[in-house]
Amino acid sequence: MNIISGLRHLILKPAESNSENEDSPDQPTHNTLNNKLDFNHIAKQFDNSLDIINKEMYVNGVRYLYFEELVDQNMVNQFIQQLKDQEADDVEAFIKNSDLEEIYSNKEAVIEVVNGNCVVDHGGKVYYLSVSDGETRSIQESETESVILGPHEAFIESSKVNLSLIRKKIKSSHLKAVKLTVGEVTKTNVILVYLEDIVQPTLVQDLKDRIADVEVTGVLDTNILIQLIDDNPFSPFPQYYTTERPDVVASKLLGGKVIGLVDESPYAFCAPVSFFDFFQSVDDYSQRWLTGTFIRLLRYFALLITISFTAIYVSVTTFHYEMIPQPLLPSLLESRSKVPFPPLIEALFLEIVIELLREAGARLPTKIGQTIGIVGGIVIGQAAVEAGITSNILIIAVAVSAISSFVIPNYTMSASIRILRFSLILLAGFWGNIGLVFGIGLFIVHITGLTTLKTPYFIPVSPTFFSDWLDSLVRAPYMYVKNRPHETNTKNDDVNKMKK
């Protein structure tokens, strides 16, 4: 698919007409466009578009309009040839017996054209033929959510294909899907998926209302949409869980949650979620429960290390030397004696270097990025120590903090934790352990006060539901994890309705 067709898929907006008085298809207040059906008016919306096909069959009076790069050309050619073979008196009967759907407004016709369909006019009536080109990226393994055990397929940039992947996982008539549209210009399709009789209806309705209330020029990705419907847009923490994996989506649906698929985005979003959902991985459930529990607890331990390890170093070396064990004190003092900067500046310098290396490794090609990350870290760290810019112990602290952040399986949450780490370093540098404890306290107060779809973000710890700890803080054996989480506000006996 060439560049023009790719842009058409993302921005479904026809070219502007030369006439200053022409109505724009994206302005629903113009009655001419919405109510009075006029094929000439429809065609004029696409003036100055080099890839538009607008032709008329003078033999039988049929006109048709489509974008040549968005349609399946073989289907269009076959349909046009069939039309040419019809006598003028037989065209109407042929159209009625074909797969054409009648259109009743100019705006609807414009939308069908930019969606990749062929619009046909005959006798003052307008129809469309669904011939959108189904060319998409092949289903591949996710690069951002790789697993050792479990399925290796991931979503692609087609909501229809993604929905089919979900239906392959959940073969039930109770799996419902509704389509919404968001974006004044892009007209992006959003599909909400849920399991009827399991999901709480108020969750579905709340999510529908939020998406319907979004007033924005365009939405090009799932991660943009979820920021527009957040409960707390100024919080650094993600309030919707995003994933590329159909098996993760299927498990969330079975838990009574709502899934959103955005067209032209390979990510699905899930709601409501809790803070602990971001520390779960498919591998937790593919392994023995003891192994899964150990790895999950290791992630929470990594969370504590990544937010506090460097901050503790800054606090101790700045205000609390008495906390350093006596055998370690001489080597620390010797290492610090060569550094002309206070611990706060020293720590911020190294943390920023680590972030630069992380971003460079992510943006560069894979092989070059790995080289930059490994060689760059070793060379810069060794050079910094020899130059007296930083101490050996701080390099160890920063490196352990960085490695711990990689243990968190969700990239969005990992990025939020990085912001928290910098905040705690600053507080520790100014107020020592008091600042560190104050910062951690603010963090706990903040996440316990967050909500997602009006559901507490820190559930099942606050509010407390001990039964949910079996599949949040730990990964208990399957025979003890039978109930859906309380965050979905769903009755577990509702599953009996699905047996009917």
Side-chain angles (χ1 to χ4, degrees):
M1 188 174 293
N2 61 21
I3 296 176
I4 294 179
S5 62
L7 292 175
R8 291 283 182 199
H9 275 296
L10 290 176
I11 304 179
L12 304 180
K13 179 181 179 182
E16 297 180 357
S17 172
N18 291 332
S19 173
E20 295 180 358
N21 297 324
E22 290 296 340
D23 298 322
S24 169
D26 299 302
Q27 295 176 348
T29 57
H30 290 206
N31 294 329
T32 305
L33 181 59
N34 288 334
N35 301 323
K36 186 178 179 181
L37 197 58
D38 183 358
F39 192 84
N40 289 327
H41 186 84
I42 297 168
K44 270 191 170 294
Q45 305 307 307
F46 301 96
D47 281 355
N48 301 325
S49 297
L50 62 89
D51 52 340
I52 193 72
I53 302 298
N54 179 13
K55 293 186 178 181
E56 180 176 357
M57 298 179 187
Y58 295 100
V59 177
N60 49 33
V62 175
R63 296 180 62 184
Y64 55 89
L65 185 74
Y66 64 87
F67 280 112
E68 62 177 337
E69 298 296 343
L70 295 184
V71 301
D72 186 328
Q73 197 63 55
N74 292 329
M75 293 179 64
V76 172
N77 292 340
Q78 182 180 2
F79 174 73
I80 292 174
Q81 187 58 48
Q82 291 175 344
L83 275 176
K84 290 180 178 179
D85 295 339
Q86 305 298 319
E87 299 292 338
D89 297 336
D90 299 332
V91 172
E92 186 174 353
F94 172 77
I95 290 177
K96 289 182 178 180
N97 295 326
S98 301
D99 294 330
L100 278 77
E101 297 288 340
E102 188 170 356
I103 296 174
Y104 299 97
S105 70
N106 288 345
K107 184 176 182 179
E108 184 182 354
V110 169
I111 291 175
E112 293 302 335
V113 173
V114 296
N115 276 336
N117 296 321
C118 178
V119 171
V120 180
D121 171 65
H122 178 260
K125 293 184 177 180
V126 179
Y127 309 84
Y128 79 90
L129 178 67
S130 181
V131 289
S132 178
D133 188 4
E135 182 179 348
T136 58
R137 178 169 61 92
S138 61
I139 298 174
Q140 299 172 338
E141 184 176 358
S142 172
E143 294 185 2
T144 58
E145 296 178 82
S146 58
V147 296
I148 300 173
L149 303 173
H152 292 272
E153 59 183 7
F155 289 138
I156 62 172
E157 291 79 4
S158 171
S159 57
K160 293 181 179 179
V161 175
N162 296 342
L163 181 58
S164 69
L165 292 175
I166 297 174
R167 288 200 178 276
K168 289 179 181 179
K169 298 286 183 183
I170 302 179
K171 302 178 179 66
S172 172
S173 60
H174 293 266
L175 183 64
K176 306 300 180 180
V178 294
K179 186 172 76 170
L180 306 172
T181 302
V182 63
E184 295 297 323
V185 174
T186 59
K187 305 292 190 302
T188 305
N189 292 327
V190 179
I191 299 178
L192 295 184
V193 187
Y194 57 92
L195 274 171
E196 195 176 42
D197 295 331
I198 285 186
V199 71
Q200 188 71 13
T202 54
L203 294 177
V204 180
Q205 190 58 48
D206 189 6
L207 201 50
K208 285 182 181 179
D209 294 340
R210 295 187 185 208
I211 295 175
D213 292 340
V214 171
E215 295 182 358
V216 68
T217 304
V219 172
L220 302 179
D221 186 72
T222 299
N223 294 289
I224 296 176
L225 176 62
I226 60 177
Q227 294 178 63
L228 295 170
I229 57 177
D230 273 348
D231 283 15
N232 306 274
F234 297 104
S235 173
F237 297 99
Q239 293 149 56
Y240 291 85
Y241 187 91
T242 56
T243 179
E244 286 185 290
R245 301 186 58 85
D247 53 336
V248 173
V249 166
S251 67
K252 301 296 184 184
L253 287 169
L254 293 173
K257 301 185 180 184
V258 187
I259 300 298
L261 303 173
V262 179
D263 213 12
E264 301 301 327
S265 174
Y267 287 93
F269 69 87
C270 167
V273 295
S274 74
F275 177 77
F276 303 97
D277 287 337
F278 296 92
F279 293 85
Q280 299 176 5
S281 172
V282 176
D283 283 328
D284 298 350
Y285 301 94
S286 302
Q287 303 180 81
R288 302 291 295 175
W289 72 271
L290 278 174
T291 306
T293 297
F294 171 74
I295 294 175
R296 188 170 293 180
L297 292 176
L298 190 64
R299 293 194 191 107
Y300 295 127
F301 182 63
L303 170 65
L304 295 177
I305 291 177
T306 191
I307 66 174
S308 62
F309 205 14
T310 307
I312 290 174
Y313 171 88
V314 172
S315 173
V316 169
T317 54
T318 305
F319 299 101
H320 309 286
Y321 269 100
E322 68 278 2
M323 295 178 61
I324 303 173
Q326 183 118 19
L328 185 61
L329 190 57
S331 61
L332 178 61
L333 291 175
E334 182 182 357
S335 177
R336 285 282 309 140
S337 63
K338 301 177 183 179
V339 180
F341 308 110
L344 177 60
I345 302 300
E346 179 189 8
L348 287 177
F349 168 74
L350 270 187
E351 288 286 355
I352 291 174
V353 170
I354 289 293
E355 294 301 322
L356 291 174
L357 288 173
R358 189 200 304 257
E359 286 301 309
R363 306 295 171 229
L364 290 172
T366 305
K367 295 182 180 179
I368 300 177
Q370 292 176 350
T371 304
I372 290 292
I374 298 173
V375 177
I378 295 174
V379 171
I380 293 176
Q382 185 64 32
V385 172
E386 292 181 357
I389 297 177
T390 184
S391 63
N392 288 321
I393 297 179
L394 178 59
I395 286 183
I396 295 173
V398 171
V400 172
S401 297
I403 293 172
S404 299
S405 68
F406 295 138
V407 176
I408 300 173
N410 185 275
Y411 175 81
T412 309
M413 177 58 73
S414 177
S416 301
I417 295 301
R418 286 150 61 185
I419 297 175
L420 177 63
R421 183 168 72 245
F422 275 95
S423 302
L424 292 180
I425 290 173
L426 289 172
L427 289 172
F430 287 113
W431 294 294
N433 286 346
I434 295 177
L436 180 58
V437 173
F438 177 73
I440 294 176
L442 281 181
F443 161 64
I444 295 175
V445 169
H446 177 69
I447 60 176
T448 53
L450 290 178
T451 58
T452 167
L453 283 186
K454 303 176 183 177
T455 302
Y457 190 65
F458 210 53
I459 194 173
V461 173
S462 176
T464 303
F465 296 98
F466 290 109
S467 60
D468 287 356
W469 288 23
L470 297 176
D471 194 28
S472 57
L473 298 179
V474 299
R475 206 236 89 182
Y478 284 120
M479 68 279 295
Y480 299 114
V481 185
K482 297 180 179 179
N483 295 338
R484 286 183 291 278
H486 284 83
E487 68 194 79
T488 59
N489 196 25
T490 306
K491 294 181 180 180
N492 288 280
D493 57 3
D494 286 346
V495 72
N496 294 324
K497 299 179 182 178
M498 304 182 67
K499 297 179 181 178
K500 299 180 180 178

